[in-house]
Amino acid sequence: MKRIMVNELNNYINEKIQIKGWVHRIRKLKSITFIILRDRTGLVQCVLNNEEINASETKLESVVCIIGTVKESKNNLNPFEVSVEQFNLINSSIDELPIEINKENLEVNLDTMLNNRMLSLRHEKLNSIFKIQNIIVEGFREFLNRENFTEISTPKLVEEGAEGGTEVFKVQYFERQAYLAQSPQFYKQMMVGAGFERVYEIGHVYRAEEHNTSRHLNEYISMDLEMGFVDNVEEIMDLEENLLKFILNKVTDEGKNYLEILKAEVPSLENKIPRIKLSEAIEILKTEYNKTGLEGDIDPEGEKLICKYAKEKYACDFIFLTHYPRKKRPMYTMPCGQLETYSFDLLFRGIEITTGGQRIHDYNMLVENIKKKGLNPDNYESYTSNFKYGMPPHGGLAIGLERITAKILGLENVREASLLPRDRTRLIP
Amino acid sequence: MKRIMVNELNNYINEKIQIKGWVHRIRKLKSITFIILRDRTGLVQCVLNNEEINASETKLESVVCIIGTVKESKNNLNPFEVSVEQFNLINSSIDELPIEINKENLEVNLDTMLNNRMLSLRHEKLNSIFKIQNIIVEGFREFLNRENFTEISTPKLVEEGAEGGTEVFKVQYFERQAYLAQSPQFYKQMMVGAGFERVYEIGHVYRAEEHNTSRHLNEYISMDLEMGFVDNVEEIMDLEENLLKFILNKVTDEGKNYLEILKAEVPSLENKIPRIKLSEAIEILKTEYNKTGLEGDIDPEGEKLICKYAKEKYACDFIFLTHYPRKKRPMYTMPCGQLETYSFDLLFRGIEITTGGQRIHDYNMLVENIKKKGLNPDNYESYTSNFKYGMPPHGGLAIGLERITAKILGLENVREASLLPRDRTRLIP
């Protein structure tokens, strides 16, 4: 007998069917027992006659198979229920549940939620986060495929760090030392030059950052893109703006049910995202919010305030900050005069979700800039050599998947938007 | 002026256009110079009048911008050419090319090809490999999405190896030791149990294997899937068979041009893939090919021979070998009697591309099997604890992306099917 999914039962009124799933809730009355069965598509009320079937000892979250008839019925879940004829236990829970997952909210702290990840993800609200996250990922892919981007997959085991700095994880690679890639930066540029012209990658990146905050993960998913033959950095911001519009529309359309479950409000992108220079933003923070002491970058509090400003002044949940100083940007960033660069951050609801910019495409300029940063060009030869053979002008950006998911859904901690987060102290489950 | 892509030029006959790309070939005659320009969509012949424009010193693979008029013309490439009015060098090559990429075949050895990866990928044949690979990946996703699978992304930094054994890369994770995941096995099972029921992941896996052969990579892309509520292992093989049919049809339909460039022949899957017991296969190898000494597994030569047998006897490029012995399979594999398991390998054109099987879903059976393998269940607690709370019967498989790509396309070395392979000695580029 074929298994029918719960969300298809309305097509089987008065028919005999088989359903399988988990025991979500159980309530024994004098003559009947109600079991709420849950499968990946939803919940359904099943009614057992106590004289015929004794299922009242069944433990919550056991896996069961039910054969019965679908009957019209008014209940909280559906306009039908299943009148049970056979009830088979496939795999019983053998322990008391460490967390309650059949309440409206999962009322446990973050550590308990993550320690019991298989169970906590069965909760509708937590499950829905990842349904929305998948729509975001699909939106990213779909938009870029239409724009003739090619998906790539580049190594995470690398000989040198892309960004320099010490925040890299070391790997013993046979008799040598390797590192986990902090970003696909060098490789996505290389693939632009390899003739793909426009590439994207959705993959893990690794940051050995010591801080353990609600906005940091040590392994996270970066949605990276890089495009060749650009005329200026504005084009890259234009692309991101259109990309975000596409993603947000897709989330609104296809994620409706999940958004309702999560009581989340998708930001509107009807207005153009404001683009202001970082130096202006710092000035605004000083004059409007009396926030001083910022130079060349803004801190988390500044990010929150400038987003507040964008919301009030431009009615936009996003804001581009542009022209970051050369001192603060990596050596591959295209300079704009002596002090600034053609680069940007995108802030969204108080947090940076994107860093991007135009890159240097001229070999000599690149080598000079590496030196200017106090780095040794010899250490970057496998990267810089690509620039000797016709690298087109190009630029790109990266969006942190867990951050954008968390901010769209109003989650307090970026860990909630990771199936299995890795942080300063967490390596399991 | 808007850039027009080469494959759109036929819509602009007798119109003035701008194109951008790389100088693929250059030939100076007395009064005119031919430049073949290449962009991501194709090649086009451009004609320059030597009296007006002197471009004959332009180096191959320089990035250029050409403004001119599209004229009807008979040439090897297209029924049109571009009569050049303006020729601008955007970024010149500054060195002699280390490899020639404008010949029909890239006649260099594998190391040279990989050492000059940006340039070698500009060659049409090499570029086409990854266009086909992307169709395979999209086919995998598309089929499984339709079958209601959920895409997941699981950590590659783990506290314990999934498969046991010593072939794992060690990572210094702050003050602790971590490992790079050899497979998403534990996590995909966990996500089945988390209520997604059917999940897949396309991601990197890491094997610290010492051998440096044409079939091994130390970092490769595994297309993993796992499905809950299965009745038996046959269902999993059925799914793979349908999945492969879908992928191969998609490659045939959407990859036509690339297949022609690569002179590749996509295998037919009209016939059902034969399924034979491993023990039978070993017997066949003995009687048909006089190959002896195999026990519990077959070696690379045996894989080639049994594929030959499948091709001759069943007219099929694939063969499932089933019922691998318990001794040879990991502790999570569902036993079949005292000695065998409900597991399988799929071989394709002489090489194993899939390992799969049904998994144990009963907590006590799992703990017993871990002990039987001589392992300590305490070390697997974060895995086994999931089985206490209603794990449905389930199974799954993994397909090695580079291997299936290489075998479909007839590539000799699996490295050719990796953009940037990592092997025993290679960490760059």
Side-chain angles (χ1 to χ4, degrees):
Chain A
M1 200 171 176
K2 199 179 152 234
R3 178 191 184 197
I4 305 297
M5 302 308 296
V6 165
N7 69 349
E8 294 169 337
L9 287 177
N10 56 337
N11 302 322
Y12 293 86
I13 304 292
N14 296 324
E15 289 182 47
K16 192 163 172 173
I17 50 85
Q18 174 180 264
I19 52 177
K20 293 179 182 179
W22 288 270
V23 175
H24 184 70
R25 199 172 288 146
I26 189 162
R27 187 160 56 102
K28 190 180 181 180
L29 304 181
K30 195 168 175 194
S31 58
I32 58 172
T33 301
F34 289 107
I35 283 183
I36 309 293
L37 179 138
R38 187 187 68 242
D39 70 15
R40 68 175 188 269
T41 69
L43 299 170
V44 63
Q45 173 168 293
C46 304
V47 190
L48 294 81
N49 183 327
N50 293 347
E51 282 183 10
E52 288 164 18
I53 303 170
N54 184 0
S56 59
E57 298 301 308
T58 307
K59 288 198 163 65
L60 287 180
E61 295 304 317
S62 293
V63 175
V64 298
C65 173
I66 283 174
I67 291 174
T69 302
V70 187
K71 305 273 188 193
E72 288 186 352
S73 143
K74 278 180 193 156
N75 56 67
N76 290 336
L77 301 167
N78 306 294
F80 54 81
E81 64 185 15
V82 175
S83 170
V84 178
E85 287 151 42
Q86 280 182 46
F87 178 86
N88 294 312
L89 197 58
I90 298 177
N91 198 10
S92 177
S93 282
I94 59 171
D95 232 341
E96 290 307 307
L97 298 180
I99 57 175
E100 275 193 307
I101 61 163
N102 61 6
K103 298 288 183 289
E104 197 196 336
N105 289 301
L106 185 72
E107 279 159 2
V108 298
N109 67 33
L110 186 66
D111 265 341
T112 305
M113 177 200 291
L114 295 175
N115 289 339
N116 298 284
R117 197 54 166 154
M118 185 186 78
L119 279 175
S120 67
L121 283 170
R122 289 184 190 170
H123 192 282
E124 192 179 46
K125 287 201 175 176
L126 276 68
N127 212 281
S128 298
I129 293 169
F130 298 95
K131 299 294 188 182
I132 293 288
Q133 188 165 73
N134 276 6
I135 299 171
I136 295 171
V137 170
E138 283 163 24
F140 184 83
R141 269 199 206 107
E142 197 179 326
F143 179 86
L144 295 176
N145 286 343
R146 286 190 198 172
E147 295 285 327
N148 276 301
F149 280 70
T150 298
E151 187 165 9
I152 57 172
S153 179
T154 66
K156 304 309 159 203
L157 280 168
V158 296
E159 203 180 46
E160 59 207 10
E163 315 287 335
T166 53
E167 292 174 334
V168 289
F169 289 113
K170 290 180 185 167
V171 183
Q172 192 60 40
Y173 194 75
F174 303 109
E175 41 291 298
R176 280 191 286 170
Q177 182 84 78
Y179 302 96
L180 292 180
Q182 289 172 295
S183 89
Q185 184 61 37
F186 289 0
Y187 293 128
K188 62 180 183 167
Q189 293 184 257
M190 185 176 167
M191 293 305 149
V192 166
F196 294 110
E197 295 188 18
R198 301 173 151 214
V199 297
Y200 68 93
E201 176 164 12
I202 301 161
H204 282 115
V205 296
Y206 300 89
R207 306 281 168 101
E209 293 173 343
E210 295 273 349
H211 23 242
N212 208 5
T213 78
S214 64
R215 37 201 274 153
H216 287 94
L217 292 169
N218 295 102
E219 176 184 57
Y220 70 88
I221 298 168
S222 180
M223 302 196 293
D224 264 274
L225 67 87
E226 197 77 16
M227 59 196 285
F229 298 96
V230 296
D231 290 322
N232 52 56
V233 69
E234 301 293 323
E235 268 183 55
I236 302 159
M237 286 187 272
D238 291 346
L239 182 96
E240 179 161 29
E241 199 161 338
N242 291 326
L243 169 61
L244 287 172
K245 263 183 205 162
F246 185 87
I247 290 173
L248 294 176
N249 284 337
K250 193 175 167 88
V251 167
T252 306
D253 292 349
E254 297 175 20
K256 205 164 173 297
N257 291 345
Y258 307 117
L259 293 170
E260 276 169 21
I261 290 167
L262 290 160
K263 299 188 175 86
E265 196 195 334
V266 176
S268 145
L269 252 180
E270 274 175 40
N271 299 330
K272 205 169 153 54
I273 299 178
R275 299 177 187 186
I276 67 173
K277 278 189 153 197
L278 175 71
S279 55
E280 277 174 56
I282 290 173
E283 200 51 40
I284 288 164
L285 289 171
K286 209 191 306 185
T287 55
E288 299 275 322
Y289 302 99
N290 210 14
K291 182 163 174 67
T292 56
L294 297 177
E295 211 200 299
D297 206 350
I298 61 177
D299 60 8
E301 195 206 1
E303 290 184 353
K304 285 201 184 79
L305 289 172
I306 203 72
C307 283
K308 187 168 181 284
Y309 176 81
K311 184 76 178 170
E312 285 166 7
K313 174 114 192 236
Y314 302 100
C316 189
D317 284 305
F318 296 85
I319 182 169
F320 279 114
L321 302 185
T322 67
H323 295 83
Y324 277 70
R326 291 177 72 164
K327 267 193 253 175
K328 297 282 182 176
R329 289 288 176 164
M331 50 78 173
Y332 51 76
T333 314
M334 180 66 90
C336 168
Q338 285 304 308
L339 297 174
E340 293 179 330
T341 60
Y342 290 113
S343 68
F344 60 89
D345 272 11
L346 178 65
L347 312 189
F348 170 43
R349 291 183 173 169
I351 199 171
E352 173 247 305
I353 58 161
T354 286
T355 295
Q358 192 177 345
R359 329 296 188 183
I360 295 173
H361 57 274
D362 179 86
Y363 175 79
N364 292 315
M365 185 193 275
L366 181 61
V367 170
E368 280 313 304
N369 213 42
I370 290 174
K371 285 184 197 159
K372 203 176 150 104
K373 284 272 172 192
L375 302 167
N376 183 353
D378 296 347
N379 296 340
Y380 294 93
E381 214 199 317
S382 87
Y383 171 61
T384 58
S385 65
N386 292 316
F387 294 78
K388 292 181 183 173
Y389 310 110
M391 179 66 81
H394 65 285
L397 57 88
I399 303 175
L401 177 60
E402 294 86 350
R403 280 192 179 184
I404 193 174
T405 308
K407 281 293 156 180
I408 289 174
L409 298 180
L411 309 175
E412 277 172 31
N413 195 309
V414 72
R415 287 162 183 73
E416 295 176 62
S418 171
L419 279 176
L420 296 155
R422 292 293 176 257
D423 65 26
R424 186 68 185 78
T425 57
R426 181 175 290 280
L427 264 176
I428 53 166
Chain B
M1 201 170 176
K2 200 180 152 228
R3 177 190 184 197
I4 306 295
M5 302 308 297
V6 166
N7 69 349
E8 294 170 337
L9 288 177
N10 57 338
N11 300 323
Y12 293 86
I13 304 291
N14 296 322
E15 288 182 47
K16 192 162 171 174
I17 50 82
Q18 174 179 264
I19 52 178
K20 293 178 183 180
W22 288 270
V23 174
H24 184 69
R25 198 172 287 144
I26 189 162
R27 187 158 56 100
K28 190 181 182 178
L29 304 181
K30 196 171 172 191
S31 58
I32 58 171
T33 300
F34 289 106
I35 284 182
I36 309 293
L37 178 138
R38 188 188 67 242
D39 71 14
R40 67 174 190 269
T41 69
L43 299 170
V44 64
Q45 175 169 290
C46 304
V47 190
L48 293 79
N49 183 325
N50 292 347
E51 282 183 10
E52 290 165 17
I53 302 170
N54 184 0
S56 59
E57 299 299 310
T58 307
K59 287 197 162 68
L60 286 179
E61 295 304 318
S62 293
V63 174
V64 298
C65 172
I66 283 175
I67 290 173
T69 304
V70 187
K71 304 270 189 197
E72 287 186 351
S73 146
K74 278 180 191 155
N75 56 66
N76 290 337
L77 300 168
N78 306 294
F80 54 82
E81 63 185 16
V82 175
S83 171
V84 178
E85 287 150 43
Q86 281 183 47
F87 178 86
N88 295 311
L89 196 59
I90 297 177
N91 198 10
S92 178
S93 282
I94 58 171
D95 233 342
E96 290 307 308
L97 298 179
I99 57 176
E100 278 192 305
I101 62 163
N102 60 7
K103 299 286 182 291
E104 198 197 335
N105 289 301
L106 185 73
E107 279 161 2
V108 298
N109 67 32
L110 185 66
D111 265 342
T112 307
M113 177 200 289
L114 296 176
N115 289 339
N116 298 283
R117 198 52 166 157
M118 187 187 74
L119 278 174
S120 67
L121 283 170
R122 289 186 191 170
H123 192 282
E124 192 179 46
K125 286 201 175 176
L126 275 71
N127 211 282
S128 299
I129 294 169
F130 298 95
K131 299 295 188 182
I132 294 288
Q133 189 165 72
N134 276 7
I135 298 171
I136 296 170
V137 170
E138 282 163 25
F140 185 84
R141 266 199 210 111
E142 198 178 325
F143 179 86
L144 294 177
N145 286 344
R146 284 189 200 174
E147 295 286 328
N148 276 303
F149 279 71
T150 298
E151 188 166 8
I152 57 171
S153 179
T154 67
K156 304 309 159 202
L157 280 168
V158 296
E159 203 180 48
E160 60 206 11
E163 315 288 334
T166 55
E167 293 173 335
V168 289
F169 289 113
K170 289 180 187 169
V171 183
Q172 192 60 40
Y173 194 76
F174 303 108
E175 41 291 298
R176 280 191 286 171
Q177 183 85 75
Y179 302 96
L180 292 180
Q182 291 173 293
S183 89
Q185 184 61 37
F186 289 180
Y187 293 127
K188 62 180 183 167
Q189 293 184 258
M190 186 176 166
M191 292 305 148
V192 166
F196 295 110
E197 295 188 19
R198 301 172 149 214
V199 297
Y200 69 93
E201 176 163 12
I202 300 161
H204 283 114
V205 296
Y206 299 89
R207 306 281 168 102
E209 293 173 344
E210 294 274 348
H211 25 245
N212 209 6
T213 78
S214 65
R215 37 200 273 152
H216 287 94
L217 292 168
N218 295 102
E219 176 185 58
Y220 71 88
I221 298 168
S222 180
M223 300 196 293
D224 264 273
L225 68 86
E226 197 77 17
M227 58 197 285
F229 297 98
V230 296
D231 289 324
N232 53 56
V233 69
E234 302 293 324
E235 266 183 57
I236 302 160
M237 287 187 271
D238 292 346
L239 182 96
E240 180 161 31
E241 201 161 337
N242 290 328
L243 168 62
L244 288 171
K245 264 184 204 162
F246 184 86
I247 290 174
L248 295 175
N249 284 338
K250 191 174 169 89
V251 167
T252 306
D253 292 349
E254 298 175 20
K256 205 163 173 296
N257 291 345
Y258 306 116
L259 293 170
E260 276 168 20
I261 290 168
L262 291 160
K263 301 188 174 85
E265 197 195 335
V266 176
S268 145
L269 253 179
E270 275 175 39
N271 298 328
K272 205 170 152 54
I273 299 179
R275 299 176 188 187
I276 66 173
K277 277 190 156 197
L278 174 72
S279 56
E280 279 175 51
I282 289 173
E283 201 51 40
I284 289 164
L285 288 171
K286 209 189 307 185
T287 55
E288 299 276 322
Y289 302 99
N290 210 15
K291 182 162 174 66
T292 55
L294 296 176
E295 211 199 299
D297 207 348
I298 61 178
D299 60 9
E301 194 205 2
E303 290 185 355
K304 284 200 184 76
L305 290 172
I306 203 73
C307 283
K308 188 169 180 288
Y309 175 82
K311 184 78 178 168
E312 286 164 7
K313 175 116 193 234
Y314 302 100
C316 189
D317 285 305
F318 296 85
I319 182 169
F320 279 114
L321 302 185
T322 67
H323 295 83
Y324 277 70
R326 290 178 74 163
K327 266 193 254 176
K328 298 280 182 177
R329 290 287 177 162
M331 51 76 172
Y332 51 77
T333 315
M334 180 65 91
C336 167
Q338 283 304 306
L339 297 173
E340 293 179 331
T341 59
Y342 290 113
S343 69
F344 61 89
D345 272 10
L346 178 66
L347 311 189
F348 170 43
R349 292 183 174 168
I351 198 172
E352 174 247 305
I353 58 160
T354 286
T355 295
Q358 192 176 345
R359 329 296 186 184
I360 295 173
H361 57 274
D362 179 88
Y363 175 80
N364 292 316
M365 185 192 276
L366 181 61
V367 171
E368 279 314 304
N369 213 42
I370 290 174
K371 286 185 197 158
K372 202 176 151 108
K373 284 272 171 190
L375 302 167
N376 182 353
D378 295 345
N379 296 339
Y380 294 94
E381 213 200 316
S382 89
Y383 171 60
T384 57
S385 65
N386 292 314
F387 294 78
K388 292 181 184 172
Y389 310 108
M391 179 67 82
H394 65 285
L397 57 87
I399 302 175
L401 177 60
E402 294 86 351
R403 283 192 177 182
I404 192 173
T405 307
K407 283 293 157 184
I408 289 175
L409 298 179
L411 308 176
E412 279 172 29
N413 195 309
V414 73
R415 285 162 185 73
E416 295 177 62
S418 172
L419 279 177
L420 296 156
R422 291 295 177 257
D423 65 25
R424 186 67 184 77
T425 58
R426 182 174 289 282
L427 263 177
I428 54 165

